[in-house]
Amino acid sequence: MIKADETHAEPARYRIAVRELCAFAAREGDLDLRFTPSPTAQQGIRGHQRIVRRRGKDYESEISLSGDIGNLTIRGRADGYDPKRNCLEEIKTHRGDLSRQPAHHRALHWAQARVYGALMCRSRDLEGITLALVYLDIAADAPRGTKSEHDEQNEQNEQTDQADPKSRKAQPDEQRLEAWWSREALEAELARLAARFSEFAANELAHRSARDSALSRLAFPWPSWRPGQRQLAEHAYKAVMTGRELLAEAPTGTGKTLATLYPALRAMPASGTDRLFYLTARTPGRALALDALATLAPAADDSEGQKKTPATPLRILELGARSKTCEHPSLACHGESCPLARGFYDRLPAARDAALADQRPLNLATTRRHALAHDICPYFLAQELSRWADVIIGDHNHYFDSHALLFALSQANDWRTVVLVDESHNLIERARGMYSTELDARQFHFLLKQLSRKGHPAPLRSASRALARQWRALEQLKQGADGETQASKVDSKDAGHKAQRLALEALPGDFLKALSQWTGAMGDWLAEPDKAANPAAARQQPATATQAPEQLGLIASDAPSAAPSATDTGTATTVSGSASSTARRRVEPDVEMMEAYFAALTLARLAEGFGDHSLFEVELSATPPARQASLASDSSSSSGAASDAGTEADASARPHKARGRSVRQIQPRLRCVSPAPWLAPRLRASHAILLFSATLNPPAYHHRLLGLADDAVWLSVDSPFSAAQVQVSRHRLSTRLRDRDASYRPIAELMARQYRQRPGNYLAFFSSFAYLEQVASTLQQLAPEIPQWRQTRAMTEAERTGFIQRFTPEGQGIGFAVLGGAFGEGIDLPGSRLIGAFIATLGLAGFSPENEALKQRLATWLDNDAQRRSQPQQAEGDPHDNTRASRPVIQPLNADDCTYLYPGLTRVVQAAGRVIRSEQDQGVIHLIDDRFMRPEVARLLPRWWSPTN
């Protein structure tokens, strides 16, 4: 944990991990992400295990080390140590040619090894030690000998002359760099790195002391609490102090942001909290958090009355999306491409010091100003500042995504964190998106055909053909017995020809194996383009690495790519043969190719965590009979040669034979049904977590699908509003699809009648754009004098702003919007800016094969989850004691309600919540659907409403 030592008998020491110390003191040069390790988490673990198995029975792995120097306590885990050879190993997994590794990457690895070596010499009282950097190529073929062969090799290794560290037999997938260091030299290196950090550490210790002292005296900024606000704050404080999980529903107007931030900050000193994360689902939520923090830590004029600094020494940092903070989104992240990556680590110390000395909240604009003043990237400066900020405001994915920055930093530094999750009603769907992915069938159709041709490395051609074969074989998956691939097939009609959807309860192993081999071959080619089968075809260096698209400046929304063509993706090359030369085409790595590669990597990573909470789907497009015979040419990638005109003519002359679908007609996707297994480890990793929203009803739905602990606390805060403030009316009118045509005119008449009775600003919500347009047009015919404005598909940010700006205090009219869209939540229209809402839908997801498959799989997971949660736990104490601790009764959930009803009503209540924003507001809400009168639906509406029929 990076924090001040709490022991008062000794001088305060700053505790820091070896990796963090080296990252601070030993990094230099460009920001360069071209050569980065690309194994999945499981591949990295297996790679380390592979090395350990080779080393012999005396080999030690994961050695915990720590030591003091100056005002620092340095700790970490060394990868491995061979006591017979007195050799400490730092193991790094990678892919591709190691010679392409930037020099400063290697220097950083050596710095880590030297620090571990110094700590090891102290721990074992050694006079010196051999340090080894072991680079394991995960793409290389590992030896596949029997156990006895490995044992024999290990015995030979144990008999190796320890005086000759190079005499160990080399492995084809392993490269070693060794050097012997004396204890004195290692201590000198450790002292050199520590000296670079020592002054910064002293400042950090002073900052932590001042921060905790100020927060322990932090006062609530207002003379009184809002109704329900103190209740929420008290529960939040208790949750932080006791390290619990709190799920809290507090209506709009409670002041949830201040009611959670204030107690969390006040509890930081006593609870030993290192970092506080405030996570939201939308940009306005970040702005509200920044405003609340400004209220808690108000700025005070300095002696000159010019510069304002916070009265509370609190470092506040806002994180933004890369697509909105990158200055050059079309450039790759390395010094040869982006000027802000060139010399990044050389200029980082000055930019970091300036930003931390600013003492004002580091919002996106402030961080950008500091970054550009020192000619470095604002996005990556914010990531570096995340290591030193006290409060970090970001999006849900900054902690919960599989590659989340804040979670990774928390784990690496052993931080004690408190996580506040605003708008947590969105987290289930957001997390489902984080842990779901699909492969673009049309994109892969053309890509695999092109990569199967001459001009590319033979392994890549072979892997592309194999993947195409296994891709086409997906449509043959059938319902199997236990232990085999299970699939449920849902058919739909398209002009009389069948389209099918397979919902698989187990992974298609052959397809995933082929996909893994393809990503390996693709990664090798991207890392070593010069080793193509035809050297002349590899003229252009790829501007990419093998990690993640956000690290390469390749963002689909910022850099849309057109479909590949012979003009813009082909390069004419000449392949010399024994008798002739043939001009062939070869594509170079481009944005679309990178997107396909990263999508494949993502699917492979998520497949490692596949379980009853996941679903593998295969969507089969309809195939007109007239085109079935022509699909033979679409499948030609298995032969590696493109069909020419003569071949097509011959094929057309042969009798038509029905063939299977091509790659582009088979869409595979991996869907997350319940995000609980993914989120639960991240919830447990925090010291305390507070999830809050205005709509968390029923609590069991959010509790279980978010993976909260059995002892998590549920709180429902009373509303600060009264039923007299809002008139809620339920209307016996069907908005079902079959009855929709008959509903247009009654809804329009209701709107016109309400508007004429009380002119002002209204919002009307519908289930689709088509429904919206029909009712809006009907209203325009019935009451052309009523102003109206409509949400449209794919509105730009400027258009969304213009839509909201129509709601002025003096304005009048009706804004039409789609429920669950940009205007259904996250907007604040107090007073006369909005006096009423029409909601002509229950917000239910459409009945579709996708949703039915999700419901069926979710039913299985809910049953299994209830069984897992209900199993008694072994009581603490004697492991042989048969005493079992009782578990709480799990509230049953219906999969149909979880799929359709609960998400829909959440959207309804969120939209209706736009009307009443303060104790002074007055308004009306019209719920237009007869199903709102059903008891199971009425139970999900806010308790403080008093609806009339």
Side-chain angles (χ1 to χ4, degrees):
M1 188 186 312
I2 300 183
K3 67 172 188 177
D5 196 322
E6 297 176 357
T7 302
H8 300 289
E10 298 179 359
R13 294 185 183 278
Y14 193 92
R15 301 179 62 188
I16 186 169
V18 171
R19 291 178 181 271
E20 287 299 307
L21 173 64
C22 295
F24 183 94
R27 285 188 302 182
E28 57 186 15
D30 296 350
L31 175 69
D32 193 340
L33 300 175
R34 287 174 294 181
F35 187 95
T36 51
S38 61
T40 65
Q42 292 299 320
Q43 287 174 332
I45 293 173
R46 289 194 296 266
H48 280 68
Q49 292 173 344
R50 186 194 306 176
I51 294 294
V52 172
R53 285 195 300 268
R54 293 174 182 172
R55 296 301 188 252
K57 61 182 180 180
D58 293 329
Y59 188 80
E60 303 175 32
S61 61
E62 296 294 319
I63 307 106
S64 295
L65 298 170
S66 65
D68 297 338
I69 182 170
N71 60 350
L72 304 180
T73 294
I74 304 169
R75 50 93 187 150
R77 289 181 179 270
D79 289 330
Y81 176 66
D82 187 344
K84 288 185 175 295
R85 302 177 63 244
N86 188 26
C87 180
L88 187 72
E89 295 184 332
E90 179 73 6
I91 302 171
K92 304 293 184 183
T93 54
H94 76 99
R95 184 190 297 279
D97 186 357
L98 195 60
S99 65
R100 296 174 59 84
Q101 184 187 53
H104 63 277
H105 284 203
R106 183 78 50 80
L108 180 61
H109 297 164
W110 273 122
Q112 294 172 0
R114 288 193 292 268
V115 174
Y116 283 124
L119 298 178
M120 191 69 173
C121 286
R122 289 186 181 187
S123 175
R124 305 292 174 93
D125 194 20
L126 304 174
E127 294 302 319
I129 194 170
T130 297
L131 303 180
L133 293 182
V134 180
Y135 290 98
L136 180 69
D137 188 350
I138 62 171
D141 291 332
R144 303 179 186 274
T146 63
K147 186 177 185 295
S148 60
E149 291 173 335
H150 281 300
D151 291 341
E152 181 180 351
Q153 180 62 53
N154 289 334
E155 291 176 2
Q156 295 176 3
N157 290 339
E158 292 173 13
Q159 298 170 2
T160 297
D161 184 3
Q162 297 184 18
D164 184 5
K166 298 182 179 180
S167 61
R168 180 187 295 272
K169 183 177 179 180
Q171 300 290 349
D173 58 346
E174 185 181 324
Q175 295 189 52
R176 298 175 59 85
L177 302 174
E178 294 189 354
W180 187 89
W181 284 75
S182 68
R183 180 171 181 170
E184 292 76 10
L186 290 173
E187 284 289 342
E189 286 293 307
L190 178 60
R192 183 177 64 85
L193 293 178
R196 292 186 178 182
F197 185 69
S198 180
E199 182 179 356
F200 190 89
N203 292 334
E204 287 299 292
L205 289 170
H207 167 75
R208 176 64 177 260
S209 177
R211 184 201 78 177
D212 287 352
S213 176
L215 291 180
S216 64
R217 303 188 305 271
L218 187 66
F220 190 69
W222 304 116
S224 62
W225 299 80
R226 293 183 184 181
Q229 190 176 37
R230 180 159 191 153
Q231 180 187 11
L232 176 57
E234 289 176 349
H235 278 77
Y237 184 84
K238 292 177 182 178
V240 175
M241 293 302 298
T242 58
R244 300 285 291 277
E245 297 171 2
L246 173 65
L247 184 67
E249 182 183 66
T252 299
T254 305
K256 295 183 291 293
T257 305
L258 201 58
T260 52
L261 274 172
Y262 170 68
L265 289 171
R266 182 67 184 268
M268 284 182 77
S271 63
T273 301
D274 297 305
R275 300 292 187 272
L276 176 63
F277 302 149
Y278 190 98
L279 310 175
T280 71
R282 300 172 185 268
T283 302
R286 299 205 307 267
L288 289 174
L290 287 170
D291 291 342
L293 288 167
T295 302
L296 287 166
D301 291 338
D302 65 3
S303 58
E304 297 179 1
Q306 296 178 356
K307 182 180 178 181
K308 290 189 174 183
T309 58
T312 303
L314 196 64
R315 292 175 182 165
I316 301 167
L317 174 68
E318 179 187 12
L319 294 178
R322 187 189 190 283
S323 59
K324 296 183 178 181
T325 56
C326 178
E327 296 293 313
H328 305 292
S330 62
L331 302 180
C333 293
H334 58 83
E336 296 176 8
S337 175
C338 179
L340 300 181
R342 191 177 305 122
F344 178 89
Y345 291 112
D346 298 329
R347 295 190 290 272
L348 173 62
R352 178 178 56 218
D353 292 345
L356 297 181
D358 194 328
Q359 296 185 338
R360 291 171 295 182
L362 295 170
N363 56 25
L364 297 183
T366 303
T367 301
R368 179 177 183 270
R369 176 170 55 81
H370 285 295
L372 297 184
H374 294 84
D375 294 324
I376 63 174
C377 173
Y379 175 74
F380 283 101
L381 175 60
Q383 291 200 346
E384 293 295 329
L385 293 174
S386 298
R387 291 174 160 85
W388 317 111
D390 301 310
V391 180
I392 301 177
I393 303 169
D395 188 87
H396 288 170
N397 62 15
H398 283 123
Y399 186 81
F400 292 108
D401 189 77
S402 59
H403 298 289
L405 168 71
L406 298 182
F407 179 73
L409 288 176
S410 300
Q411 294 297 102
N413 298 303
D414 196 21
W415 284 339
R416 172 171 285 197
T417 60
V418 171
V419 184
L420 309 182
V421 187
D422 193 5
E423 302 173 308
S424 50
H425 65 276
N426 286 308
L427 188 54
I428 293 176
E429 285 304 316
R430 287 289 304 274
R432 278 176 173 162
M434 296 173 196
Y435 294 98
S436 300
T437 189
E438 68 178 4
L439 304 181
D440 189 323
R442 182 175 179 83
Q443 184 182 57
F444 271 88
H445 172 82
F446 293 106
L447 178 61
L448 294 179
K449 289 180 68 174
Q450 294 176 23
L451 294 178
S452 298
R453 296 169 178 155
K454 292 290 182 66
H456 296 88
L460 181 57
R461 297 201 307 271
S462 176
S464 298
R465 296 167 190 166
L467 179 56
R469 286 193 299 271
Q470 293 301 328
W471 198 305
R472 292 193 299 274
L474 288 174
E475 71 168 316
Q476 303 302 323
L477 294 173
K478 305 292 184 182
Q479 181 78 23
D482 292 342
E484 300 178 358
T485 298
Q486 301 290 312
S488 59
K489 185 179 294 186
V490 185
D491 295 351
S492 60
K493 299 289 185 177
D494 184 3
H497 305 292
K498 282 189 175 182
Q500 299 176 346
R501 178 179 300 275
L502 303 178
L504 281 63
E505 298 178 359
L507 292 171
D510 292 339
F511 172 76
L512 288 176
K513 181 179 179 180
L515 184 69
S516 178
Q517 292 172 344
W518 182 81
T519 56
M522 188 75 171
D524 292 341
W525 177 52
L526 295 174
E528 305 174 71
D530 297 333
K531 291 188 177 182
N534 174 18
R539 295 173 179 170
Q540 182 176 347
Q541 296 290 332
T544 178
T546 55
Q547 186 62 25
E550 65 270 16
Q551 295 177 325
L552 305 171
L554 302 172
I555 303 173
S557 60
D558 294 333
S561 57
S565 65
T567 303
D568 56 21
T569 64
T571 301
T573 62
T574 301
V575 181
S576 299
S578 58
S580 63
S581 298
T582 304
R584 300 184 185 272
R585 293 184 304 146
R586 172 186 180 273
V587 292
E588 300 293 344
D590 57 14
V591 171
E592 188 170 0
M593 190 177 296
M594 292 295 95
E595 290 175 349
Y597 172 60
F598 293 127
L601 286 177
T602 299
L603 191 146
R605 288 190 175 100
L606 294 179
E608 293 178 349
F610 189 89
D612 60 359
H613 58 282
S614 309
L615 193 63
F616 194 94
E617 294 182 326
V618 181
E619 183 178 351
L620 307 176
S621 301
T623 308
R627 297 190 62 235
Q628 287 183 354
S630 66
L631 294 181
S633 60
D634 291 337
S635 304
S636 62
S637 61
S638 62
S639 65
S643 300
D644 56 23
T647 303
E648 293 175 359
D650 291 341
S652 62
R654 291 193 295 268
H656 291 319
K657 181 180 179 181
R659 291 181 176 269
R661 293 173 172 84
S662 65
V663 168
R664 64 180 168 184
Q665 295 172 315
I666 304 172
Q667 178 68 61
R669 63 174 58 90
L670 195 156
R671 293 180 67 192
C672 174
V673 174
S674 169
W678 295 108
L679 300 182
R682 294 166 185 262
L683 300 179
R684 303 298 98 77
S686 63
H687 169 66
I689 189 160
L690 285 62
L691 302 102
F692 50 96
S693 171
T695 49
L696 291 175
N697 194 24
Y701 168 66
H702 299 276
H703 187 153
R704 293 181 60 186
L705 267 71
L706 291 177
L708 270 69
D710 292 334
D711 64 350
V713 178
W714 161 250
L715 172 66
S716 180
V717 178
D718 293 334
S719 175
F721 309 135
S722 66
Q725 290 183 251
V726 60
Q727 178 185 347
V728 181
S729 301
R730 296 180 293 192
H731 300 268
R732 295 184 183 275
L733 183 67
S734 174
T735 62
R736 299 170 181 83
L737 184 61
R738 65 175 181 269
D739 305 321
R740 197 157 289 174
D741 290 348
S743 71
Y744 301 152
R745 187 176 184 88
I747 294 175
E749 290 174 346
L750 171 65
M751 290 180 171
R753 187 166 57 251
Q754 173 63 49
Y755 182 86
R756 289 163 180 160
Q757 179 180 344
R758 185 185 175 188
N761 291 318
Y762 294 85
L763 262 173
F765 294 96
F766 297 86
S767 57
S768 67
F769 284 102
Y771 198 4
L772 178 157
E773 290 293 335
Q774 290 290 346
V775 175
S777 298
T778 303
L779 177 63
Q780 196 168 35
Q781 295 174 359
L782 290 176
E785 74 281 4
I786 299 178
Q788 62 172 254
W789 51 99
R790 310 176 188 179
Q791 178 184 359
T792 59
R793 291 182 174 87
M795 293 180 77
T796 64
E797 188 169 349
E799 290 172 334
R800 291 195 296 269
T801 301
F803 184 95
I804 294 299
Q805 288 177 345
R806 293 288 299 269
F807 294 89
T808 62
E810 298 80 19
Q812 294 182 351
I814 302 177
F816 287 77
V818 172
L819 189 70
F823 308 113
E825 60 179 284
I827 60 172
D828 194 19
L829 301 172
S832 60
R833 293 188 64 188
L834 184 67
I835 63 171
F838 306 91
I839 303 177
T841 174
L842 249 69
L844 305 183
F847 184 87
S848 66
E850 297 94 326
N851 288 328
E852 284 299 289
L854 184 146
K855 182 184 75 173
Q856 294 173 16
R857 186 62 164 170
L858 184 59
T860 300
W861 181 84
L862 287 171
D863 290 341
N864 294 341
D865 178 65
Q867 293 178 11
R868 287 188 290 262
R869 287 178 178 263
S870 300
Q871 290 176 355
Q873 298 295 304
Q874 185 76 44
E876 295 183 3
D878 186 355
H880 302 290
D881 187 359
N882 293 326
T883 303
R884 298 278 179 168
S886 62
R887 301 296 297 271
V889 177
I890 304 303
Q891 182 176 345
L893 289 173
N894 180 279
D896 188 85
D897 291 341
C898 292
T899 304
Y900 296 102
L901 183 60
Y902 299 155
L905 265 294
T906 295
R907 289 187 281 267
V908 168
V909 176
Q910 280 288 328
R914 302 311 96 198
V915 177
I916 304 299
R917 309 297 292 180
S918 71
E919 292 87 339
Q920 291 74 40
D921 288 350
Q922 297 282 334
V924 297
I925 298 173
H926 293 277
L927 304 178
I928 308 172
D929 195 285
D930 53 19
R931 289 168 289 183
F932 281 112
M933 302 178 188
R934 294 180 178 177
E936 64 271 20
V937 174
R939 285 197 301 268
L940 300 175
L941 300 178
R943 298 192 309 271
W944 65 277
W945 286 2
S946 295
T948 60
N949 299 330

